Amino acid sequence: MRRKPRMITIILATFIIIRFGFLMYESRSYFQGSYWAGYEGFKNAYLNSQYISLHPTASIPDETLYAYAAGAYLKGESLLDVNPGTPPLGKQLFSLSIVLFDNPNIVMIVIFIFFLTGIYFLGKQIISSTPIVLMVIILILFQPLITSQFKFMPLLDIPMMTFQIWSIYFFIKGLDKSGFSILISMILLGVAMMTKIFSISLPLLAIYTVYILLNRRKMFGWFILGYLSIAVVAIVTYIPIYYRGYTPWSVLGIAKWSYIYNVSKLNRFFTVWDLIFFNRWHVWWGDQPVIHDANWHFSWPVLFGLSWIWILNHTRSFFRLSKAAQIVYLWTIMYFIMISLNQSSARYLIPILPFAYIFAADVLCGWYNRLRKNLN
């Protein structure tokens, strides 16, 4: 009897490898060619874009901005002159990829592998069945909002989400085993904060803090070290600006500016759910206040609808949930609240999509088991 589940696991794992390889092959052009041969093109596009010119000749997408920034940092441009509104660590990873491979996108292969393995290990904390978790990963590899990250490179969504997922995993492990895992979790959270807009990861920090204070006070010393580690990650990330006369206190000013800028978008509440369920995107430009989003996928209403069912089913029994389920529950609720307060676009759904798949799978498995029990 054991051979059958093992064979299913091998087949599913093989399919994941094949699907991942296919996505790499489809995107092979992004991993070829010299970055520096096209650097001047990135630079000219940036200098004539909406980020610099009052009368831009064209708007550039985020991937072009990040690709230019990665090379500009290597050329000695200030972190505060090129895309200062986004923390630089993610773009510094692209810079590292340029140094090693003369290409900013190759590092994304490694990051995506860690992203998928992170989903597996975290998913196993919620769903005990290995085949079910592997099927979740397969479905994620067919989700257009995820796979589009390989069609528009380099972007920061997958790197940030990868660090968040592993941060959650190590935090959960730390609750059972050691404070050192809590420290690793906090370091990874600091890296996530410095990879993209730091406020996206703030709900996780709030959850960790409250959970430790209420349930694991004996680990509070490790947690204080964790807070210090986040500060160290931020300070180290901005090392280049110190040679220009700035200080670590300047990093706080940058964070404050970024936070105020993003809070300024809190002007239309709950519009993200109109996008998720009905493909009605409330935009902040043009003559039409509501348009259709080309990224919308029919799976979104199903995934997020089932996620809400999972949340509601476990609300009354929250304190009987496993530690892993409690942390993931709180993160999902906090993130749902955060995107409900923003005029969010589809890309804001990326950090929560893996959790939506895990919840949906758990709900469907529960329904299936209940139906089979009733039939028997």
Short mmCIF file of all heavy atoms in Angstrom, two decimals, residues 93-147:
data_model
loop_
_atom_site.label_atom_id
_atom_site.label_comp_id
_atom_site.label_asym_id
_atom_site.label_seq_id
_atom_site.Cartn_x
_atom_site.Cartn_y
_atom_site.Cartn_z
N LEU A 93 20.38 42.26 -5.49
CA LEU A 93 20.47 40.86 -5.91
C LEU A 93 20.61 40.78 -7.42
O LEU A 93 21.38 39.95 -7.94
CB LEU A 93 19.23 40.09 -5.45
CG LEU A 93 19.10 39.80 -3.96
CD1 LEU A 93 17.77 39.10 -3.67
CD2 LEU A 93 20.25 38.93 -3.48
N PHE A 94 19.88 41.63 -8.13
CA PHE A 94 20.02 41.67 -9.59
C PHE A 94 21.42 42.16 -9.97
O PHE A 94 22.00 41.69 -10.95
CB PHE A 94 18.96 42.57 -10.20
CG PHE A 94 17.54 42.17 -9.87
CD1 PHE A 94 16.53 43.14 -9.77
CD2 PHE A 94 17.20 40.85 -9.64
CE1 PHE A 94 15.23 42.78 -9.46
CE2 PHE A 94 15.89 40.49 -9.34
CZ PHE A 94 14.91 41.46 -9.24
N SER A 95 21.95 43.10 -9.18
CA SER A 95 23.33 43.57 -9.41
C SER A 95 24.32 42.42 -9.25
O SER A 95 25.25 42.27 -10.05
CB SER A 95 23.68 44.70 -8.44
OG SER A 95 22.84 45.82 -8.61
N LEU A 96 24.12 41.62 -8.21
CA LEU A 96 24.98 40.46 -7.99
C LEU A 96 24.91 39.50 -9.17
O LEU A 96 25.94 38.96 -9.61
CB LEU A 96 24.57 39.75 -6.70
CG LEU A 96 25.34 38.47 -6.36
CD1 LEU A 96 26.82 38.76 -6.14
CD2 LEU A 96 24.73 37.79 -5.13
N SER A 97 23.71 39.30 -9.68
CA SER A 97 23.54 38.43 -10.84
C SER A 97 24.29 38.98 -12.06
O SER A 97 24.87 38.22 -12.84
CB SER A 97 22.05 38.28 -11.16
OG SER A 97 21.84 37.33 -12.18
N ILE A 98 24.30 40.30 -12.20
CA ILE A 98 25.04 40.93 -13.30
C ILE A 98 26.54 40.69 -13.13
O ILE A 98 27.24 40.36 -14.08
CB ILE A 98 24.74 42.44 -13.36
CG1 ILE A 98 23.28 42.67 -13.78
CG2 ILE A 98 25.68 43.14 -14.34
CD1 ILE A 98 22.84 44.12 -13.65
N VAL A 99 27.02 40.85 -11.91
CA VAL A 99 28.45 40.64 -11.64
C VAL A 99 28.85 39.20 -11.95
O VAL A 99 29.90 38.94 -12.55
CB VAL A 99 28.78 40.99 -10.17
CG1 VAL A 99 30.19 40.55 -9.81
CG2 VAL A 99 28.60 42.48 -9.93
N LEU A 100 28.01 38.24 -11.54
CA LEU A 100 28.35 36.83 -11.70
C LEU A 100 28.10 36.30 -13.11
O LEU A 100 28.88 35.48 -13.62
CB LEU A 100 27.56 35.99 -10.70
CG LEU A 100 27.85 36.23 -9.21
CD1 LEU A 100 26.93 35.38 -8.35
CD2 LEU A 100 29.30 35.93 -8.89
N PHE A 101 27.02 36.78 -13.74
CA PHE A 101 26.58 36.17 -15.00
C PHE A 101 26.40 37.17 -16.14
O PHE A 101 26.01 36.77 -17.24
CB PHE A 101 25.26 35.41 -14.80
CG PHE A 101 25.29 34.44 -13.66
CD1 PHE A 101 24.60 34.71 -12.48
CD2 PHE A 101 25.98 33.25 -13.76
CE1 PHE A 101 24.61 33.81 -11.42
CE2 PHE A 101 26.00 32.34 -12.71
CZ PHE A 101 25.31 32.62 -11.54
N ASP A 102 26.66 38.45 -15.88
CA ASP A 102 26.41 39.50 -16.88
C ASP A 102 24.94 39.49 -17.30
O ASP A 102 24.61 39.76 -18.46
CB ASP A 102 27.33 39.32 -18.10
CG ASP A 102 27.34 40.55 -19.01
OD1 ASP A 102 26.88 41.62 -18.56
OD2 ASP A 102 27.78 40.43 -20.17
N ASN A 103 24.07 39.16 -16.35
CA ASN A 103 22.64 39.07 -16.64
C ASN A 103 21.89 39.23 -15.32
O ASN A 103 22.17 38.50 -14.37
CB ASN A 103 22.31 37.73 -17.29
CG ASN A 103 20.87 37.63 -17.77
OD1 ASN A 103 19.94 37.71 -16.98
ND2 ASN A 103 20.68 37.46 -19.07
N PRO A 104 20.94 40.16 -15.23
CA PRO A 104 20.24 40.38 -13.95
C PRO A 104 19.18 39.35 -13.63
O PRO A 104 18.68 39.30 -12.50
CB PRO A 104 19.60 41.77 -14.15
CG PRO A 104 19.34 41.84 -15.62
CD PRO A 104 20.48 41.10 -16.27
N ASN A 105 18.84 38.49 -14.61
CA ASN A 105 17.68 37.62 -14.44
C ASN A 105 18.01 36.22 -13.96
O ASN A 105 17.12 35.51 -13.48
CB ASN A 105 16.92 37.52 -15.77
CG ASN A 105 16.48 38.88 -16.29
OD1 ASN A 105 16.02 39.72 -15.52
ND2 ASN A 105 16.64 39.11 -17.58
N ILE A 106 19.26 35.80 -14.09
CA ILE A 106 19.60 34.41 -13.75
C ILE A 106 19.36 34.13 -12.27
O ILE A 106 18.97 33.02 -11.89
CB ILE A 106 21.06 34.11 -14.16
CG1 ILE A 106 21.15 34.12 -15.69
CG2 ILE A 106 21.52 32.77 -13.60
CD1 ILE A 106 22.52 33.85 -16.25
N VAL A 107 19.56 35.13 -11.42
CA VAL A 107 19.31 34.93 -9.99
C VAL A 107 17.85 34.55 -9.73
O VAL A 107 17.54 33.89 -8.73
CB VAL A 107 19.70 36.19 -9.19
CG1 VAL A 107 18.72 37.33 -9.47
CG2 VAL A 107 19.75 35.90 -7.70
N MET A 108 16.95 34.93 -10.64
CA MET A 108 15.54 34.60 -10.46
C MET A 108 15.29 33.10 -10.51
O MET A 108 14.33 32.61 -9.90
CB MET A 108 14.70 35.30 -11.52
CG MET A 108 14.56 36.81 -11.33
SD MET A 108 13.72 37.23 -9.78
CE MET A 108 12.11 36.49 -10.03
N ILE A 109 16.12 32.36 -11.23
CA ILE A 109 15.97 30.90 -11.26
C ILE A 109 16.16 30.33 -9.86
O ILE A 109 15.36 29.51 -9.38
CB ILE A 109 16.98 30.27 -12.24
CG1 ILE A 109 16.74 30.79 -13.67
CG2 ILE A 109 16.89 28.75 -12.21
CD1 ILE A 109 17.77 30.31 -14.67
N VAL A 110 17.22 30.76 -9.19
CA VAL A 110 17.52 30.29 -7.84
C VAL A 110 16.40 30.72 -6.88
O VAL A 110 15.93 29.92 -6.06
CB VAL A 110 18.87 30.84 -7.36
CG1 VAL A 110 19.16 30.40 -5.93
CG2 VAL A 110 19.99 30.41 -8.30
N ILE A 111 15.98 31.97 -7.00
CA ILE A 111 14.93 32.48 -6.11
C ILE A 111 13.64 31.70 -6.30
O ILE A 111 12.95 31.35 -5.33
CB ILE A 111 14.71 33.98 -6.35
CG1 ILE A 111 15.92 34.77 -5.85
CG2 ILE A 111 13.44 34.47 -5.66
CD1 ILE A 111 15.90 36.24 -6.23
N PHE A 112 13.30 31.40 -7.54
CA PHE A 112 12.06 30.69 -7.81
C PHE A 112 12.11 29.27 -7.24
O PHE A 112 11.09 28.75 -6.75
CB PHE A 112 11.78 30.65 -9.32
CG PHE A 112 10.31 30.62 -9.65
CD1 PHE A 112 9.63 31.77 -9.98
CD2 PHE A 112 9.61 29.43 -9.62
CE1 PHE A 112 8.28 31.75 -10.28
CE2 PHE A 112 8.26 29.39 -9.93
CZ PHE A 112 7.59 30.54 -10.25
N ILE A 113 13.28 28.63 -7.28
CA ILE A 113 13.41 27.30 -6.68
C ILE A 113 13.17 27.37 -5.18
O ILE A 113 12.45 26.54 -4.60
CB ILE A 113 14.80 26.72 -6.99
CG1 ILE A 113 14.91 26.38 -8.48
CG2 ILE A 113 15.06 25.46 -6.15
CD1 ILE A 113 16.31 25.98 -8.93
N PHE A 114 13.75 28.37 -4.52
CA PHE A 114 13.51 28.55 -3.08
C PHE A 114 12.04 28.90 -2.81
O PHE A 114 11.49 28.51 -1.77
CB PHE A 114 14.43 29.64 -2.52
CG PHE A 114 15.79 29.15 -2.16
CD1 PHE A 114 16.86 29.35 -3.00
CD2 PHE A 114 16.00 28.46 -0.97
CE1 PHE A 114 18.13 28.89 -2.67
CE2 PHE A 114 17.26 27.99 -0.62
CZ PHE A 114 18.33 28.20 -1.48
N PHE A 115 11.43 29.62 -3.72
CA PHE A 115 10.01 29.96 -3.59
C PHE A 115 9.16 28.70 -3.57
O PHE A 115 8.31 28.51 -2.68
CB PHE A 115 9.62 30.88 -4.76
CG PHE A 115 8.14 31.04 -4.97
CD1 PHE A 115 7.34 31.63 -4.00
CD2 PHE A 115 7.54 30.61 -6.14
CE1 PHE A 115 5.98 31.79 -4.20
CE2 PHE A 115 6.18 30.77 -6.35
CZ PHE A 115 5.40 31.35 -5.38
N LEU A 116 9.39 27.79 -4.51
CA LEU A 116 8.61 26.56 -4.59
C LEU A 116 8.87 25.63 -3.41
O LEU A 116 7.94 25.05 -2.86
CB LEU A 116 8.92 25.83 -5.91
CG LEU A 116 8.52 26.57 -7.19
CD1 LEU A 116 8.95 25.77 -8.42
CD2 LEU A 116 7.02 26.83 -7.24
N THR A 117 10.14 25.51 -3.01
CA THR A 117 10.44 24.65 -1.86
C THR A 117 9.87 25.24 -0.57
O THR A 117 9.43 24.51 0.32
CB THR A 117 11.96 24.44 -1.71
OG1 THR A 117 12.62 25.71 -1.66
CG2 THR A 117 12.51 23.63 -2.87
N GLY A 118 9.84 26.57 -0.49
CA GLY A 118 9.23 27.22 0.67
C GLY A 118 7.74 26.93 0.76
O GLY A 118 7.20 26.67 1.85
N ILE A 119 7.07 26.96 -0.38
CA ILE A 119 5.64 26.62 -0.40
C ILE A 119 5.43 25.18 0.05
O ILE A 119 4.49 24.88 0.80
CB ILE A 119 5.05 26.83 -1.81
CG1 ILE A 119 5.06 28.31 -2.18
CG2 ILE A 119 3.63 26.28 -1.90
CD1 ILE A 119 4.66 28.59 -3.61
N TYR A 120 6.32 24.29 -0.39
CA TYR A 120 6.19 22.88 0.00
C TYR A 120 6.29 22.72 1.52
O TYR A 120 5.42 22.11 2.16
CB TYR A 120 7.26 22.04 -0.70
CG TYR A 120 7.30 20.62 -0.19
CD1 TYR A 120 6.37 19.68 -0.62
CD2 TYR A 120 8.25 20.23 0.75
CE1 TYR A 120 6.39 18.39 -0.13
CE2 TYR A 120 8.28 18.93 1.24
CZ TYR A 120 7.34 18.01 0.80
OH TYR A 120 7.36 16.73 1.29
N PHE A 121 7.35 23.26 2.10
CA PHE A 121 7.57 23.07 3.54
C PHE A 121 6.50 23.78 4.37
O PHE A 121 6.05 23.26 5.39
CB PHE A 121 8.96 23.57 3.93
CG PHE A 121 10.05 22.63 3.53
CD1 PHE A 121 10.94 22.96 2.53
CD2 PHE A 121 10.19 21.40 4.17
CE1 PHE A 121 11.96 22.10 2.16
CE2 PHE A 121 11.21 20.52 3.80
CZ PHE A 121 12.09 20.86 2.79
N LEU A 122 6.07 24.97 3.92
CA LEU A 122 5.02 25.66 4.65
C LEU A 122 3.67 24.96 4.46
O LEU A 122 2.87 24.85 5.39
CB LEU A 122 4.94 27.12 4.19
CG LEU A 122 4.04 28.05 5.02
CD1 LEU A 122 4.48 28.06 6.48
CD2 LEU A 122 4.06 29.46 4.45
N GLY A 123 3.42 24.51 3.23
CA GLY A 123 2.18 23.80 2.96
C GLY A 123 2.04 22.53 3.79
O GLY A 123 0.94 22.18 4.25
N LYS A 124 3.16 21.85 4.04
CA LYS A 124 3.14 20.64 4.85
C LYS A 124 2.77 20.93 6.31
O LYS A 124 2.34 20.04 7.04
CB LYS A 124 4.50 19.96 4.79
CG LYS A 124 4.76 19.22 3.49
CD LYS A 124 4.02 17.90 3.41
CE LYS A 124 4.61 16.88 4.38
NZ LYS A 124 3.87 15.59 4.33
N GLN A 125 2.95 22.18 6.73
CA GLN A 125 2.55 22.57 8.08
C GLN A 125 1.03 22.65 8.21
O GLN A 125 0.49 22.53 9.32
CB GLN A 125 3.16 23.93 8.44
CG GLN A 125 4.67 23.96 8.45
CD GLN A 125 5.27 23.13 9.56
OE1 GLN A 125 4.83 23.18 10.70
NE2 GLN A 125 6.29 22.35 9.22
N ILE A 126 0.34 22.85 7.09
CA ILE A 126 -1.12 22.99 7.11
C ILE A 126 -1.80 21.73 6.61
O ILE A 126 -2.80 21.26 7.17
CB ILE A 126 -1.55 24.20 6.23
CG1 ILE A 126 -0.79 25.46 6.62
CG2 ILE A 126 -3.06 24.41 6.32
CD1 ILE A 126 -1.02 25.92 8.04
N ILE A 127 -1.26 21.17 5.53
CA ILE A 127 -1.83 19.97 4.90
C ILE A 127 -0.82 18.84 5.07
O ILE A 127 0.31 18.93 4.59
CB ILE A 127 -2.12 20.20 3.40
CG1 ILE A 127 -3.04 21.41 3.22
CG2 ILE A 127 -2.72 18.97 2.77
CD1 ILE A 127 -3.21 21.83 1.78
N SER A 128 -1.21 17.77 5.71
CA SER A 128 -0.27 16.68 6.00
C SER A 128 0.07 15.85 4.77
O SER A 128 1.13 15.23 4.70
CB SER A 128 -0.84 15.78 7.09
OG SER A 128 -2.08 15.22 6.68
N SER A 129 -0.82 15.84 3.78
CA SER A 129 -0.63 14.99 2.60
C SER A 129 0.40 15.59 1.65
O SER A 129 0.20 16.67 1.10
CB SER A 129 -1.96 14.81 1.87
OG SER A 129 -1.77 14.18 0.62
N THR A 130 1.49 14.87 1.43
CA THR A 130 2.52 15.33 0.50
C THR A 130 1.99 15.45 -0.93
O THR A 130 2.25 16.45 -1.60
CB THR A 130 3.74 14.39 0.54
OG1 THR A 130 4.33 14.45 1.84
CG2 THR A 130 4.79 14.79 -0.50
N PRO A 131 1.25 14.45 -1.46
CA PRO A 131 0.73 14.60 -2.82
C PRO A 131 -0.16 15.84 -3.00
O PRO A 131 -0.09 16.50 -4.03
CB PRO A 131 -0.08 13.31 -3.04
CG PRO A 131 0.58 12.31 -2.14
CD PRO A 131 0.98 13.10 -0.93
N ILE A 132 -0.97 16.17 -1.99
CA ILE A 132 -1.84 17.34 -2.09
C ILE A 132 -1.00 18.62 -2.17
O ILE A 132 -1.27 19.51 -2.98
CB ILE A 132 -2.82 17.41 -0.90
CG1 ILE A 132 -3.77 16.22 -0.92
CG2 ILE A 132 -3.62 18.71 -0.95
CD1 ILE A 132 -4.64 16.12 -2.15
N VAL A 133 0.03 18.69 -1.35
CA VAL A 133 0.89 19.88 -1.37
C VAL A 133 1.60 19.99 -2.71
O VAL A 133 1.73 21.09 -3.27
CB VAL A 133 1.92 19.82 -0.21
CG1 VAL A 133 2.90 20.99 -0.31
CG2 VAL A 133 1.21 19.86 1.13
N LEU A 134 2.05 18.87 -3.25
CA LEU A 134 2.70 18.89 -4.57
C LEU A 134 1.72 19.33 -5.66
O LEU A 134 2.09 20.05 -6.59
CB LEU A 134 3.28 17.52 -4.89
CG LEU A 134 4.46 17.07 -4.02
CD1 LEU A 134 4.90 15.66 -4.39
CD2 LEU A 134 5.63 18.04 -4.14
N MET A 135 0.45 18.90 -5.54
CA MET A 135 -0.55 19.34 -6.51
C MET A 135 -0.80 20.84 -6.40
O MET A 135 -1.04 21.51 -7.41
CB MET A 135 -1.85 18.55 -6.32
CG MET A 135 -1.79 17.15 -6.90
SD MET A 135 -3.39 16.30 -6.94
CE MET A 135 -3.49 15.69 -5.26
N VAL A 136 -0.74 21.36 -5.17
CA VAL A 136 -0.86 22.81 -4.98
C VAL A 136 0.26 23.53 -5.74
O VAL A 136 0.02 24.53 -6.43
CB VAL A 136 -0.81 23.15 -3.48
CG1 VAL A 136 -0.56 24.65 -3.27
CG2 VAL A 136 -2.10 22.76 -2.80
N ILE A 137 1.48 23.02 -5.62
CA ILE A 137 2.61 23.64 -6.32
C ILE A 137 2.43 23.58 -7.82
O ILE A 137 2.72 24.55 -8.54
CB ILE A 137 3.93 22.96 -5.90
CG1 ILE A 137 4.21 23.23 -4.42
CG2 ILE A 137 5.09 23.45 -6.76
CD1 ILE A 137 5.40 22.48 -3.87
N ILE A 138 1.91 22.46 -8.32
CA ILE A 138 1.66 22.33 -9.76
C ILE A 138 0.66 23.39 -10.22
O ILE A 138 0.86 24.06 -11.23
CB ILE A 138 1.15 20.92 -10.10
CG1 ILE A 138 2.29 19.90 -9.94
CG2 ILE A 138 0.59 20.86 -11.52
CD1 ILE A 138 1.84 18.46 -10.04
N LEU A 139 -0.42 23.56 -9.46
CA LEU A 139 -1.43 24.55 -9.83
C LEU A 139 -0.84 25.97 -9.79
O LEU A 139 -1.15 26.80 -10.65
CB LEU A 139 -2.62 24.45 -8.88
CG LEU A 139 -3.49 23.19 -9.03
CD1 LEU A 139 -4.55 23.14 -7.93
CD2 LEU A 139 -4.14 23.14 -10.40
N ILE A 140 0.02 26.23 -8.82
CA ILE A 140 0.67 27.54 -8.74
C ILE A 140 1.52 27.78 -9.98
O ILE A 140 1.59 28.91 -10.50
CB ILE A 140 1.50 27.64 -7.45
CG1 ILE A 140 0.58 27.77 -6.23
CG2 ILE A 140 2.47 28.83 -7.50
CD1 ILE A 140 1.29 27.72 -4.90
N LEU A 141 2.16 26.72 -10.47
CA LEU A 141 3.01 26.86 -11.66
C LEU A 141 2.20 27.07 -12.94
O LEU A 141 2.78 27.30 -14.00
CB LEU A 141 3.90 25.62 -11.80
CG LEU A 141 5.08 25.55 -10.82
CD1 LEU A 141 5.79 24.21 -10.94
CD2 LEU A 141 6.05 26.69 -11.07
N PHE A 142 0.88 26.96 -12.83
CA PHE A 142 0.01 27.27 -13.97
C PHE A 142 -0.79 28.55 -13.73
O PHE A 142 -1.62 28.91 -14.58
CB PHE A 142 -0.96 26.10 -14.24
CG PHE A 142 -0.32 24.96 -14.98
CD1 PHE A 142 0.22 23.89 -14.28
CD2 PHE A 142 -0.25 24.96 -16.37
CE1 PHE A 142 0.82 22.83 -14.95
CE2 PHE A 142 0.34 23.90 -17.05
CZ PHE A 142 0.88 22.83 -16.34
N GLN A 143 -0.57 29.22 -12.60
CA GLN A 143 -1.26 30.47 -12.30
C GLN A 143 -0.60 31.60 -13.10
O GLN A 143 0.57 31.92 -12.88
CB GLN A 143 -1.20 30.75 -10.81
CG GLN A 143 -1.67 32.14 -10.40
CD GLN A 143 -3.10 32.45 -10.80
OE1 GLN A 143 -3.33 33.39 -11.56
NE2 GLN A 143 -4.04 31.65 -10.32
N PRO A 144 -1.34 32.24 -14.03
CA PRO A 144 -0.74 33.27 -14.88
C PRO A 144 -0.09 34.43 -14.11
O PRO A 144 0.93 34.96 -14.55
CB PRO A 144 -1.92 33.77 -15.71
CG PRO A 144 -2.88 32.62 -15.74
CD PRO A 144 -2.74 31.96 -14.40
N LEU A 145 -0.67 34.79 -12.97
CA LEU A 145 -0.10 35.91 -12.21
C LEU A 145 1.29 35.55 -11.66
O LEU A 145 2.14 36.43 -11.51
CB LEU A 145 -1.03 36.27 -11.05
CG LEU A 145 -0.80 37.64 -10.39
CD1 LEU A 145 -0.92 38.76 -11.41
CD2 LEU A 145 -1.80 37.86 -9.26
N ILE A 146 1.52 34.26 -11.42
CA ILE A 146 2.83 33.80 -10.97
C ILE A 146 3.77 33.61 -12.15
O ILE A 146 4.91 34.10 -12.14
CB ILE A 146 2.71 32.49 -10.17
CG1 ILE A 146 1.84 32.69 -8.92
CG2 ILE A 146 4.09 31.97 -9.79
CD1 ILE A 146 2.42 33.63 -7.89
N THR A 147 3.31 32.91 -13.17
CA THR A 147 4.18 32.61 -14.31
C THR A 147 4.54 33.87 -15.10
O THR A 147 5.57 33.90 -15.79
CB THR A 147 3.52 31.59 -15.25
OG1 THR A 147 2.26 32.10 -15.72
CG2 THR A 147 3.29 30.27 -14.53
#
